[in-house]
Amino acid sequence: MKIRYISELQLERECNQIVRNYQLSSKEWVNAKTILNGMYHYAVRQHYLESNPMERVEITVKFRQVVKKTGRTQTYNTEELAELNDYLDNMYADTGDSAFLAVRLNFMLGLRVGELVALKWEDIGEEHHIHIVREEVRDQTTNKYEVVDHTKTNTDRFVILVPKAEDILKNIPHTSEYIFTRDNERLTSRQINYVLEKYAERNGHITKSSHKMRKTYASMLNAKGVPIDAIREQLGHSNLSTTYGYIYNPLTEKETYDLIAEAL
């Protein structure tokens, strides 16, 4: 049908049918609605229609309910992190591969994985901070990884280096301008993810991506009472709302119980 002949009720029935037949969540419907809304908005601007009927469409069928993410899937809890750290320490002792130290360190830095593998020795400051100024990106045409002189948000930041993190850095030999290397070649983000994938495979766990290290870092700081704005600054977020999306419960069930029992 030509767009001017589709009645408002026909459009509404069709939209409800789309939600029902494809079992869309409310978020998925918003994405679909954006396309339809843009099409009708264009029709109004072209004077095919006097008004946009999508603005009056009501969804009366039920959306698919989405199970909300929890700390179990979005973070490494304290027990999981202890087990992973033991694995990383043992693998580094056996292989001398700095990829295992890179993963170990990032639970204390909370960097984007592209920022982690782009770190240089010159970034380490004297005041227990590390300067985050660049990141690794993947060229979509060549599929190769390269380092660019800016971060995802095009702003630099200073991340606190705690004593345990400084101890890890002291164990890494200076063989390149980059901190994390293998055979004198800079490590890539793919190699960092591979460490986590092999750990999960060997220990019968579900693989958690490198981004979960960043969420674990934020969640651990929050659980220990670090102000949310300080966490935001460490992560390099411009808005607190983004930081809140990184906060989950990283504690075990017993730790959570004990904390609630103590509070009450």
Side-chain angles (χ1 to χ4, degrees), residues 18-135:
I18 288 172
V19 172
R20 182 176 60 250
N21 290 353
Y22 292 96
Q23 297 181 323
L24 300 186
S25 67
S26 58
K27 183 176 181 180
E28 290 166 341
W29 165 242
V30 168
N31 291 336
K33 182 181 177 181
T34 298
I35 299 170
L36 290 168
N37 196 54
M39 180 181 73
Y40 273 98
H41 178 69
Y42 180 76
V44 172
R45 295 189 67 186
Q46 289 290 339
H47 305 292
Y48 301 140
L49 300 173
E50 293 184 358
S51 63
N52 184 347
M54 282 301 299
E55 296 175 355
R56 298 181 294 277
V57 165
E58 294 183 8
I59 300 299
T60 57
V61 299
K62 287 186 177 181
F63 292 110
R64 176 174 57 84
Q65 297 302 304
V66 178
V67 178
K68 292 186 177 181
K69 297 175 181 178
T70 68
R72 290 186 178 183
T73 59
Q74 298 303 302
T75 68
Y76 290 84
N77 69 29
T78 48
E79 286 184 355
E80 292 172 325
L81 189 54
E83 180 185 303
L84 173 57
N85 283 336
D86 285 342
Y87 168 83
L88 296 171
D89 289 342
N90 291 332
M91 290 301 295
Y92 179 70
D94 290 343
T95 66
D97 190 340
S98 68
F100 298 105
L101 291 186
V103 174
R104 187 89 156 81
L105 181 68
N106 205 37
F107 282 104
M108 304 176 202
L109 298 179
L111 305 183
R112 300 177 180 93
V113 67
E115 296 171 342
L116 177 68
V117 297
L119 289 175
K120 294 183 178 180
W121 290 108
E122 66 186 41
D123 301 330
I124 301 175
E126 296 180 358
E127 299 299 324
H128 307 291
H129 286 81
I130 191 163
H131 198 189
I132 311 304
V133 294
R134 72 189 74 80
E135 69 171 352

Side-chain angles (χ1 to χ4, degrees), residues 16-262:
N16 276 274
Q17 186 173 321
I18 288 172
V19 172
R20 182 176 60 250
N21 290 353
Y22 292 96
Q23 297 181 323
L24 300 186
S25 67
S26 58
K27 183 176 181 180
E28 290 166 341
W29 165 242
V30 168
N31 291 336
K33 182 181 177 181
T34 298
I35 299 170
L36 290 168
N37 196 54
M39 180 181 73
Y40 273 98
H41 178 69
Y42 180 76
V44 172
R45 295 189 67 186
Q46 289 290 339
H47 305 292
Y48 301 140
L49 300 173
E50 293 184 358
S51 63
N52 184 347
M54 282 301 299
E55 296 175 355
R56 298 181 294 277
V57 165
E58 294 183 8
I59 300 299
T60 57
V61 299
K62 287 186 177 181
F63 292 110
R64 176 174 57 84
Q65 297 302 304
V66 178
V67 178
K68 292 186 177 181
K69 297 175 181 178
T70 68
R72 290 186 178 183
T73 59
Q74 298 303 302
T75 68
Y76 290 84
N77 69 29
T78 48
E79 286 184 355
E80 292 172 325
L81 189 54
E83 180 185 303
L84 173 57
N85 283 336
D86 285 342
Y87 168 83
L88 296 171
D89 289 342
N90 291 332
M91 290 301 295
Y92 179 70
D94 290 343
T95 66
D97 190 340
S98 68
F100 298 105
L101 291 186
V103 174
R104 187 89 156 81
L105 181 68
N106 205 37
F107 282 104
M108 304 176 202
L109 298 179
L111 305 183
R112 300 177 180 93
V113 67
E115 296 171 342
L116 177 68
V117 297
L119 289 175
K120 294 183 178 180
W121 290 108
E122 66 186 41
D123 301 330
I124 301 175
E126 296 180 358
E127 299 299 324
H128 307 291
H129 286 81
I130 191 163
H131 198 189
I132 311 304
V133 294
R134 72 189 74 80
E135 69 171 352
E136 175 198 80
V137 297
R138 183 163 62 91
D139 189 305
Q140 298 296 328
T141 55
T142 64
N143 205 34
K144 291 183 178 180
Y145 294 93
E146 60 183 18
V147 172
V148 293
D149 291 325
H150 60 78
T151 64
K152 181 180 178 180
T153 56
N154 291 302
T155 56
D156 66 326
R157 70 185 187 281
F158 290 90
V159 172
I160 291 173
L161 275 177
V162 297
K164 286 183 179 180
E166 292 176 325
D167 289 342
I168 289 175
L169 289 170
K170 289 175 184 176
N171 288 325
I172 303 175
H174 293 228
T175 59
S176 165
E177 62 176 332
Y178 291 101
I179 295 177
F180 300 111
T181 62
R182 180 184 292 162
D183 298 326
N184 294 324
E185 293 290 330
R186 181 185 64 81
L187 288 178
T188 67
S189 55
R190 179 69 197 94
Q191 290 167 317
I192 299 298
N193 274 294
Y194 184 74
V195 169
L196 295 171
E197 290 167 8
K198 292 303 291 184
Y199 160 75
E201 179 185 316
R202 292 177 181 179
N203 293 276
H205 299 318
I206 297 174
T207 300
K208 293 181 180 179
S209 70
S210 57
H211 197 59
K212 301 301 187 294
M213 291 192 287
R214 191 161 155 82
K215 291 184 176 181
T216 300
Y217 169 84
S219 299
M220 287 292 184
L221 293 185
N222 181 70
K224 295 299 182 180
V226 176
I228 189 71
D229 195 49
I231 299 174
R232 178 192 65 77
E233 290 177 350
Q234 293 293 292
L235 293 176
H237 292 157
S238 56
N239 298 311
L240 273 177
S241 58
T242 305
T243 306
Y244 277 117
Y246 280 61
I247 303 298
Y248 296 89
N249 178 12
L251 306 178
T252 62
E253 288 186 12
K254 184 181 184 306
E255 288 172 327
T256 302
Y257 172 85
D258 291 344
L259 199 61
I260 293 174
E262 181 183 352

